[in-house]
Amino acid sequence: MKSIGLVLSGGGARGVAHIGVIQALEEAGLHFSHISGTSAGAIVGALYAHGYTPKEIFGIVQQVSIFRSVRPAWTWTGLLKMDGMQELLLRYLPEHDFSQLKLRLTVAATEIRKGEIKYFSEGELIPAILASCSIPAIFSPILFKESMYVDGGLLDNLPAKPIRDTCDFIIGSHCNLVSQTFDPTNLKVVIERSMLITINANTRISKQLCDVVVEPPGLDKYSSFDMGKAKEIFDIGYKFTKENFKESQFEKMVA
């Protein structure tokens, strides 16, 4: 049996689609040996690597809300800080160490001072996840081991590279596909679409490193903070994967 890796992109609330994708892939008989993720993908990936089922993960991430899990920072580095997120992650990942996970996990974050990508795969778990999720100008950067980190999506939103050599087969789940339709109703949606386009630029090489890329269409209509529509987003990921990736296809690919 080949070693199968799963790579999960960032995308805020759109990352809930990853849970639906995982559910469908499990039903297709796939089992993973290594998970790699950025931002929302790092959260879902860590929970999955810990051993939670997709159903359990869906229940947990519904609590990861901009209103419930962050607090005002009032500093020049960002408007919000993620103390609430840290408390939530510690509740569900109490071992707080990569070595205690049931599956290998890699988390991508951007070292803002050096302008370099950093891949975490050992040591303390929670700071790595928080660093990967720290959207610049919205959240305060995460200080960890004398380095300053922000969202990994800036430099590697689909981190296939760090696990390519350890996996025989890689499936990428990308929730930031940019559709050809766009209605610029206000500045907020223009900014968000601009960010999507920018982030997509650094996923092109990463997609080439994956053997299969799952990209559910229509997710770009959801905001990064649309957790109120989590069930809709989950269903899009699940139904698209279920309809387009059959068990027989994967049997041939990973045999």
Side-chain angles (χ1 to χ4, degrees):
M1 179 65 69
K2 290 185 177 180
S3 170
I4 306 174
L6 178 64
V7 183
L8 307 174
S9 74
R14 293 183 295 274
V16 174
H18 295 319
I19 309 171
V21 171
I22 293 171
Q23 177 71 52
L25 293 177
E26 279 194 348
E27 292 174 5
L30 293 183
H31 302 282
F32 305 101
S33 60
H34 201 152
I35 313 294
S36 182
T38 295
S39 199
I43 296 174
V44 173
L47 293 170
Y48 190 65
H50 181 275
Y52 291 107
T53 66
K55 181 179 180 180
E56 290 170 334
I57 296 171
F58 182 74
I60 294 169
V61 300
Q62 283 185 297
Q63 301 175 55
V64 182
S65 158
I66 186 68
F67 302 109
R68 298 173 186 158
S69 299
V70 299
R71 296 171 183 169
W74 307 120
T75 69
W76 66 269
T77 53
L79 300 176
L80 303 165
K81 60 182 180 180
M82 291 189 284
D83 290 357
M85 178 83 78
Q86 177 173 300
E87 293 167 7
L88 182 68
L89 291 173
L90 283 170
R91 186 188 317 160
Y92 291 101
L93 301 168
E95 294 84 0
H96 185 29
D97 196 287
F98 279 88
S99 66
Q100 299 303 305
L101 298 173
K102 294 179 180 179
L103 300 175
R104 295 177 66 185
L105 175 70
T106 297
V107 171
T110 300
E111 212 296 343
I112 192 66
R113 288 173 175 154
K114 298 178 181 178
E116 298 176 350
I117 193 69
K118 167 71 175 179
Y119 300 113
F120 294 95
S121 58
E122 60 184 13
E124 294 181 69
L125 177 60
I126 306 302
I129 299 173
L130 294 177
S132 187
C133 296
S134 185
I135 303 171
I138 295 178
F139 298 114
S140 293
I142 301 299
L143 291 172
F144 181 50
K145 294 185 177 179
E146 300 183 357
S147 294
M148 182 178 286
Y149 295 100
V150 296
D151 197 310
L154 291 180
L155 294 179
D156 195 351
N157 200 46
L158 189 67
K161 181 180 178 180
I163 70 169
R164 180 66 271 183
D165 291 341
T166 65
C167 299
D168 299 310
F169 191 87
I170 292 180
I171 298 174
S173 178
H174 184 240
C175 63
N176 293 315
L177 182 64
V178 179
S179 68
Q180 299 300 306
T181 58
F182 175 61
D183 184 13
T185 53
N186 57 54
L187 181 60
K188 177 178 176 292
V189 298
V190 170
I191 291 173
E192 181 133 19
R193 184 172 175 86
S194 299
M195 291 178 63
L196 277 179
I197 293 170
T198 301
I199 287 173
N200 266 271
N202 74 47
T203 64
R204 291 171 187 163
I205 294 177
S206 297
K207 288 179 184 179
Q208 295 172 13
L209 296 175
C210 297
D211 297 285
V212 170
V213 177
V214 182
E215 285 187 302
L219 291 173
D220 58 341
K221 70 181 180 182
Y222 297 98
S223 162
S224 296
F225 301 109
D226 262 345
M227 287 305 297
K229 298 178 181 178
K231 184 61 169 62
E232 292 178 28
I233 297 171
F234 172 93
D235 287 343
I236 289 174
Y238 176 78
K239 291 177 181 178
F240 177 79
T241 308
K242 198 74 173 173
E243 292 171 0
N244 291 277
F245 300 91
K246 307 299 182 183
E247 183 174 356
S248 57
Q249 292 175 283
F250 287 118
E251 286 177 352
K252 295 177 182 179
M253 293 176 185
V254 303

